[in-house]
Amino acid sequence: SEQVEEVLRRGFPEKAFRTVIKVNVELIRAQIEKKSIFAVDPDSTGAKDYESLIDEILHREQSTKVIPILRRSARGNRKT
């Protein structure tokens, strides 16, 4: 798994994101329940990893209008 990641990062450095989504119980639970990780446990490591990925995507795509909608939608599902 780490070897595959390394090969992809070397082969596609401009396309690979730096954010790594680590596997954890909350992500598995969200998948089983067919819910967003933000609905299941917004404070989990998985939710934080996805927030980091969203931030990274937004940083890369600042001029795109579609991506900010994705971020608002994902965060709109969070429990308060």
Side-chain angles (χ1 to χ4, degrees):
S1 174
E2 289 176 11
Q3 289 175 332
V4 171
E5 178 184 346
E6 186 178 332
V7 168
L8 290 173
R9 287 186 188 281
R10 258 193 266 138
F12 304 96
E14 70 286 345
K15 301 227 184 242
F17 291 102
R18 287 195 289 225
T19 302
V20 174
I21 309 296
K22 297 174 278 308
V23 176
N24 62 64
V25 175
E26 290 81 8
L27 284 175
I28 294 168
R29 193 173 108 212
Q31 185 177 21
I32 289 169
E33 294 178 13
K34 297 181 182 178
K35 294 182 180 176
S36 161
I37 187 61
F38 300 106
V40 172
D41 189 349
D43 297 317
S44 69
T45 302
K48 290 176 184 172
D49 288 346
Y50 274 103
E51 279 190 340
S52 293
L53 179 60
I54 291 167
D55 289 341
E56 190 174 347
I57 291 169
L58 288 174
H59 182 65
R60 283 191 186 185
E61 303 293 330
Q62 288 176 353
S63 64
T64 303
K65 293 180 180 178
V66 175
I67 300 300
I69 294 169
L70 171 68
R71 183 177 193 175
R72 283 195 302 274
S73 174
R75 292 202 171 143
N77 291 330
R78 298 179 109 198
K79 292 186 239 176
T80 54

